[in-house]
């Protein structure tokens, strides 16, 4: 009888281990063509970006009173740029930056 | 011994470039077929159903003899890699499986050097071809016609696939411009892509 070692059991179909903070099995940062670029002096902390981001990429840094973007999961939908009330976010072409994208071997 | 099967992988963005990616693979295979070669072209089963902007793959195979691996649905060792959206080179190892001396075709307004700095394994490349496809025929989603086996009423090569195929004919020996001319609909864009392509030979 074939025995599966404990802790190595195959999960049920479509079930992935519950992420504690981030989901490392679904990194979507390389879907991005344009990234949102924040101008801190224009930002009035209305937090529209935090509410509207479908991937919860924006987080409020309480200590420094600013919003920070998690580029690992931002897929460049640019909804935040549409919703930003003071217009502090602008779209920037991804090839203008040297970093910020997680380079994956396979698409998924 | 069977002759070498030339594998071509096309990378495009999900949904918005689905037809463009498919047109590149299909157009290449049909043009090579006119030369009397044996060809295959197909979608990547793993990437389907695609979502907006996901990096997705389309494949083409060209050989002088009948292609025997009918049921292998992934190009594991691409000789030519075509990237329809330049930002894909940042997030994906597009040269995975390539043997030394391969060709990369990128649709971008940047110079080849600007693209190469994003590719850590660039020493595999023998040639890089850049073509500003969006400037030649505009950034537009042509149609979803023909997707998932439906009837393609638009035809091959109405959008940015035409200049990319022209650039491919310039940088690679796999297909000739005359044969592409008989397949691709937007012939003006095809020839402009062939003329304006920037070819840089490496190594």
């Amino acid at each position: 009888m074939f025995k599966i070692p404990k802790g190595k059991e195959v999960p049920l179909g479509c079930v992935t281990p519950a992420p504690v903070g981030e989901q490392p099995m679904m990194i979507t940062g390389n879907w991005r063509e344009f990234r949102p670029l924040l101008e801190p002096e224009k930002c009035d902390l209305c937090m529209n970006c935090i509410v509207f981001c479908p991937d919860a990429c924006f987080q409020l840094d309480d200590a420094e009173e600013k919003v920070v973007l998690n580029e690992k999961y931002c897929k460049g939908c640019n909804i935040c740029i549409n919703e930003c009330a003071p217009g502090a976010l602008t779209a920037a072409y991804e090839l203008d930056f040297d970093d910020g994208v997680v380079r994956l071997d396979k698409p998924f | 011994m069977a002759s070498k099967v030339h594998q071509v992988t096309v990378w495009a963005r999900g949904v918005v470039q689905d037809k463009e990616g498919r047109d590149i693979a299909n157009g290449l295979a049909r043009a090579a077929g006119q030369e009397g070669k044996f060809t295959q072209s197909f979608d990547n089963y793993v990437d389907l159903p695609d979502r907006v902007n996901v990096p997705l793959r389309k494949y083409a195979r060209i050989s002088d003899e009948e292609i025997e691996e009918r049921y292998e649905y992934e190009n594991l060792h691409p000789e030519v890699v075509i990237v329809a959206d330049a930002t894909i080179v940042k997030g994906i190892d597009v040269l995975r499986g390539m043997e030394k001396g391969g060709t990369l075709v990128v649709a971008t307004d940047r110079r080849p050097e600007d693209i190469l700095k994003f590719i850590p394994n660039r020493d595999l490349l023998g040639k890089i071809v850049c073509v500003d496809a969006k400037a030649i025929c505009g950034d537009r989603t042509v149609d979803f016609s023909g997707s998932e086996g439906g009837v393609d009423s638009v035809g091959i090569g109405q959008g940015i696939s035409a200049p990319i195929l022209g650039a491919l004919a310039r940088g690679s020996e796999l297909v000739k411009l005359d044969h592409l001319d008989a397949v691709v609909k937007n012939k003006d864009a095809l020839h402009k892509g062939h003329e304006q392509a920037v070819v840089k030979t490496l190594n």
Side-chain angles (χ1 to χ4, degrees):
Chain A
M1 176 77 188
F2 180 66
K3 275 200 169 179
I4 301 163
K6 201 158 190 207
K8 298 259 182 182
E9 297 95 343
V10 181
L12 293 168
C14 302
V15 178
T16 59
V20 181
E22 296 174 349
Q23 171 58 288
M25 296 176 82
M26 192 61 201
I27 292 168
T28 50
N30 61 5
W31 298 14
R32 191 165 68 236
E33 222 177 317
F34 293 92
R35 71 165 66 172
L37 206 61
L38 180 71
E39 291 175 58
E41 55 272 18
K42 280 191 189 171
C43 178
D44 61 0
L45 290 179
C46 70
M47 293 199 264
N48 272 359
C49 50
I50 293 176
V51 174
F52 282 98
C53 180
D55 286 302
C57 292
F58 281 103
Q59 297 288 326
L60 182 66
D61 188 339
D62 278 326
E64 301 207 16
E65 288 194 345
K66 63 173 185 181
V67 286
V68 281
L69 173 69
N70 186 347
E71 285 166 345
K72 198 171 161 187
Y73 294 92
C74 170
K75 54 179 145 73
C77 65
N78 290 355
I79 291 172
C80 52
I81 296 166
N82 263 320
E83 300 297 338
C84 183
L89 289 167
T90 45
Y93 192 50
E94 197 52 57
L95 289 188
D96 291 335
F97 304 89
D98 284 342
D99 57 343
V101 173
V102 180
R103 191 179 174 86
L104 298 177
D105 197 32
K106 291 182 171 186
F108 303 109
Chain B
M1 196 184 133
S3 67
K4 190 177 179 346
V5 178
H6 303 282
Q7 301 184 343
V8 181
T9 300
V10 183
W11 289 85
R13 291 280 181 199
V15 180
V16 289
Q17 283 186 336
D18 185 58
K19 173 148 175 60
E20 306 292 356
R22 196 172 49 245
D23 277 5
I24 297 169
N26 283 348
L28 173 62
R30 287 201 193 172
Q34 293 205 337
E35 268 180 78
K37 295 194 173 173
F38 291 88
T39 60
Q40 292 178 347
S41 61
F42 46 93
D43 279 335
N44 188 349
Y45 182 72
V46 184
D47 294 343
L48 289 171
D50 54 65
R51 289 193 266 164
V52 175
N53 267 1
V54 297
L56 60 86
R57 286 161 285 182
K58 314 278 179 190
Y59 299 121
R61 287 175 186 157
I62 300 168
S63 178
D64 292 330
E65 288 171 32
E66 196 165 353
I67 301 166
E68 283 169 6
E69 65 256 0
R70 192 173 286 271
Y71 301 109
E72 205 166 286
Y73 49 84
E74 212 167 319
N75 279 351
L76 296 173
H77 303 290
E79 191 179 310
V80 177
V81 173
I82 303 166
V83 181
D85 185 273
T87 47
I88 291 174
V89 300
K90 247 186 118 173
I92 293 282
D93 180 10
V94 289
L95 304 185
R96 186 164 59 106
M98 183 186 269
E99 284 164 25
K100 210 167 163 58
T103 305
L104 177 68
V105 183
V106 188
T108 180
D109 55 346
R110 309 285 161 115
R111 289 171 301 133
E113 302 84 54
D114 297 335
I115 299 299
L116 283 173
K117 72 177 180 186
F118 293 115
I119 305 171
N121 46 356
R122 53 185 167 266
D123 53 323
L124 290 172
L125 285 174
K127 203 183 277 177
I128 180 167
V129 185
C130 287
V131 60
D132 195 356
K134 284 180 184 176
I136 290 170
C137 58
D139 181 19
R140 56 190 167 159
T141 303
V142 178
D143 205 326
F144 294 114
S145 177
S147 70
E148 302 205 10
V151 176
D152 186 358
S153 59
V154 181
I156 289 171
Q158 278 282 26
I160 61 164
S161 52
I164 294 172
L165 281 169
L168 175 74
R170 177 91 178 275
S172 170
E173 304 289 316
L174 277 181
V175 68
K176 292 189 181 69
L177 190 65
D178 301 342
H179 295 117
L180 283 169
D181 210 38
V183 174
V184 174
K185 272 205 162 178
N186 193 346
K187 297 186 195 326
D188 185 41
L190 175 76
H191 287 279
K192 272 189 184 168
H194 189 262
E195 285 158 22
Q196 294 176 19
V198 182
V199 184
K200 188 180 158 103
T201 310
L202 309 151
N203 301 323

